[in-house]
Amino acid sequence: MTGPLVVLIGPPGAGKSSVGQLLAERLGVGFRDTDADIVATAGKPIADIFVDEGEPHFRGLEAAAVRAAVAGHTGVLALGGGAVMREETEALLTGLPVVFLDVALADAVKRVGLDAPRPLLIGNPRARWRELMEQRRPVYTRVARAVVSTADSTPDQVADAVMDALELSKA
């Protein structure tokens, strides 16, 4: 198989980065986060990209980061929350071991807080988060090979659940 061993998708606060790092350690592979790739390429935080160049520019950077990561990374890959909303990204993920980390709003708030610099949550963060999830959940579930709930679970427990769902064994 070519491409990532595991691709994690889900909204902010789902634990994609923390769970992804644990999975990579357990599987003896590298970890890559497309949001970190975008920050490195742009030389500034994602919130600043949204303010300075706008969301369409950010989404273009995101699509390029996802293409590069899917083509060139064979470990655990975490995608930004909105990356799956592009048809080209959905097509790239077809056939890959994609896991949707499903998180409830209350848990997301506890994990990241909704006062963090998240451009798409400006205004009423809770209401915007719900709206985004209404738009994204159908796509998350469509592209995922497995859905893992993060409710009442530690990152270690979620990593175990992902490994079980994909029938992966430790390195």
Side-chain angles (χ1 to χ4, degrees):
M1 181 184 94
T2 59
L5 185 60
V6 179
V7 179
L8 299 176
I9 61 172
K16 299 179 299 285
S17 296
S18 55
V19 170
Q21 290 169 358
L22 287 169
L23 283 169
E25 284 176 28
R26 291 178 185 187
L27 297 167
V29 297
F31 172 73
R32 187 166 177 178
D33 184 323
T34 56
D35 280 351
D37 291 351
I38 294 165
V39 169
T41 298
K44 57 182 158 183
I46 289 171
D48 290 353
I49 298 168
F50 267 77
V51 170
D52 297 343
E53 286 91 22
E55 184 176 359
H57 178 75
F58 168 77
R59 295 297 174 197
L61 294 174
E62 183 176 56
V66 171
R67 270 193 312 277
V70 167
H73 185 67
T74 57
V76 177
L77 176 62
L79 302 187
V84 298
M85 299 307 288
R86 285 180 87 107
E87 287 181 21
E88 70 180 271
T89 298
E90 189 174 340
L92 283 172
L93 297 177
T94 300
L96 295 179
V98 178
V99 178
F100 165 28
L101 297 184
D102 196 3
V103 62
L105 173 60
D107 289 332
V109 170
K110 286 181 211 166
R111 292 177 188 161
V112 296
L114 292 182
D115 58 348
R118 298 191 181 270
L120 292 180
L121 299 179
I122 292 173
N124 182 338
R126 291 171 190 266
R128 285 292 297 139
W129 194 92
R130 281 191 199 98
E131 289 171 20
L132 287 173
M133 280 305 292
E134 286 174 15
Q135 296 166 4
R136 294 175 179 179
R137 182 176 299 279
V139 180
Y140 288 152
T141 55
R142 184 170 59 240
V143 302
R145 183 178 296 175
V147 178
V148 172
S149 172
T150 64
D152 302 318
S153 300
T154 66
D156 278 313
Q157 291 167 324
V158 175
D160 287 341
V162 169
M163 290 182 69
D164 289 346
L166 295 179
E167 299 178 352
L168 297 170
S169 54
K170 293 182 182 180

